[in-house]
Amino acid sequence: QVQLVESGGGLVQPGGSLRLSCAASGLTFRDYAMAWFRQGPGKEREFVTAIRLSGLSGGNTDYADSVKGRFTISRDNAKNTVYLQMNSLKPEDTAVYHCAAGPNGGTRRDNYAYWGQGTQVTVSS
């Protein structure tokens, strides 16, 4: 049974930072692209960032325009874990953040077969 478990959410002031983690089990982690999506209050779930099979820096990652330059996705295949470092947080980043796993990656929700339950991030003063 595949499980994705997110952690690291919380309350942070504008301009602050948080690091989210997603621990995966029940799948061959290195064979899956990993992504983060988020769902704000009253909004649809939207793409944040994704990382393909390789953890190499540069071209194997995608970011939504709204988070480019502020968020960084990374993965540790030895620990079956994907991370989301979030810097310069804004109130509009407030959402439940979900990690997802899929064979091909990309920005579309339906590219991902497995989803975590999510972790709440609240950015407020």
Side-chain angles (χ1 to χ4, degrees):
Q1 180 181 359
V2 175
Q3 283 193 312
L4 303 177
V5 180
E6 302 95 337
S7 60
L11 173 64
V12 62
Q13 291 187 343
S17 297
L18 279 177
R19 188 195 195 203
L20 305 184
S21 300
C22 172
S25 60
L27 53 71
T28 305
F29 183 76
R30 65 179 181 273
D31 290 343
Y32 283 81
M34 300 297 296
W36 290 93
F37 287 74
R38 67 186 181 186
Q39 188 163 14
K43 298 181 180 179
E44 291 193 358
R45 192 170 298 188
E46 64 176 2
F47 172 78
V48 177
T49 180
I51 187 166
R52 293 185 175 82
L53 303 186
S54 170
L56 297 175
S57 62
N60 287 315
T61 57
D62 296 300
Y63 292 93
D65 288 344
S66 58
V67 307
K68 278 181 182 175
R70 299 189 299 123
F71 290 11
T72 302
I73 189 171
S74 61
R75 64 189 295 162
D76 186 336
N77 288 344
K79 295 183 178 180
N80 288 3
T81 300
V82 63
Y83 304 97
L84 180 62
Q85 178 67 43
M86 305 186 294
N87 299 328
S88 302
L89 282 160
K90 304 175 181 180
E92 52 263 43
D93 294 319
T94 295
V96 176
Y97 283 72
H98 299 266
C99 71
N104 299 314
T107 63
R108 294 173 55 87
R109 284 181 292 179
D110 56 11
N111 287 354
Y112 296 90
Y114 304 109
W115 292 83
Q117 290 297 308
T119 185
Q120 176 71 47
V121 172
T122 302
V123 185
S124 176
S125 55

